[in-house]
């Protein structure tokens, strides 16, 4: 039972994050009320650092949940912020781990900042914080609010 409860919480968190910028109403209520139709309308771009079983599992889970997922071929640091255009998506997931020492180009970071400022959703992870802390990726201060290990951003 504990595992199922944990899975439900993670599904709720993902649904909330993926619903960012879609409605002014509570994303959780919106997803619950509109189900698969809304999820299918949500377009997700995954910027993967490498193709791994974990990346494939994430893309598969999002597709299975009904989201329209596009995985940009790795490595993530080759994304120019233009192709594909952030404007073609509702949420961008940035996976960075294997290639953590090579940041996104400044233009890509600025494109992500503008995308979120315009209402798009962004999901990053701890290595974005590492990259910020180590001056590898510093042009996303509004997206990377914590460096790593509990240290707040600069």
């Amino acid at each position: 039972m504990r595992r199922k409860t944990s899975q439900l919480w993670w599904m709720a968190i993902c649904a909330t994050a993926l619903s960012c910028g879609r409605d002014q109403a509570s994303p959780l209520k919106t997803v619950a009320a509109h189900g698969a139709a809304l999820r299918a309308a949500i377009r997700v771009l995954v910027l993967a650092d490498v193709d791994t079983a974990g990346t494939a599992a994430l893309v598969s889970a999002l597709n299975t949940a009904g989201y329209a997922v596009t995985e940009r071929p790795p490595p993530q640091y080759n994304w120019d912020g233009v192709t594909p255009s952030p404007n073609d998506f509702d949420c961008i997931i940035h996976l960075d781990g294997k290639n953590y020492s090579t940041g996104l180009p400044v233009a890509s970071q600025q494109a992500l900042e503008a995308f979120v400022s315009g209402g798009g959703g962004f999901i990053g992870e701890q290595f974005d914080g590492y990259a910020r802390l180590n001056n590898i990726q510093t042009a996303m201060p509004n997206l990377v609010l914590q460096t790593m290990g509990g240290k707040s951003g600069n």
Side-chain angles (χ1 to χ4, degrees), residues 31-49:
V31 169
H34 301 288
L38 179 62
R39 287 190 301 271
I42 296 176
R43 302 156 302 163
V44 179
L45 173 62
V46 175
L47 299 175
D49 58 349

Side-chain angles (χ1 to χ4, degrees), residues 77-134:
Y77 59 78
N78 281 342
W79 181 56
D80 60 7
V82 177
T83 307
S85 171
N87 297 327
D88 293 339
F89 300 92
D90 302 298
C91 183
I92 297 175
I93 300 173
H94 180 219
L95 301 177
D96 187 12
K98 177 75 172 171
N99 298 305
Y100 64 88
S101 63
T102 305
L104 290 169
V106 171
S108 300
Q109 295 175 58
Q110 292 169 339
L112 284 171
E113 282 267 332
F115 171 72
V116 172
S117 178
F122 175 77
I123 300 172
E125 42 64 65
Q126 182 178 6
F127 280 106
D128 280 336
Y130 173 88
R132 180 173 177 192
L133 179 68
N134 291 286

Side-chain angles (χ1 to χ4, degrees), residues 44-48 51-72 93 95:
V44 179
L45 173 62
V46 175
L47 299 175
D51 280 326
T52 65
T55 305
L58 173 65
V59 171
S60 176
L62 291 170
N63 278 319
T64 299
Y67 297 100
V69 181
T70 300
E71 179 188 356
R72 190 193 172 282
I93 300 173
L95 301 177

Side-chain angles (χ1 to χ4, degrees), residues 19-31:
S19 296
C20 291
R22 295 291 298 173
D23 278 316
Q24 296 301 318
S26 165
L28 216 54
K29 290 179 184 173
T30 301
V31 169

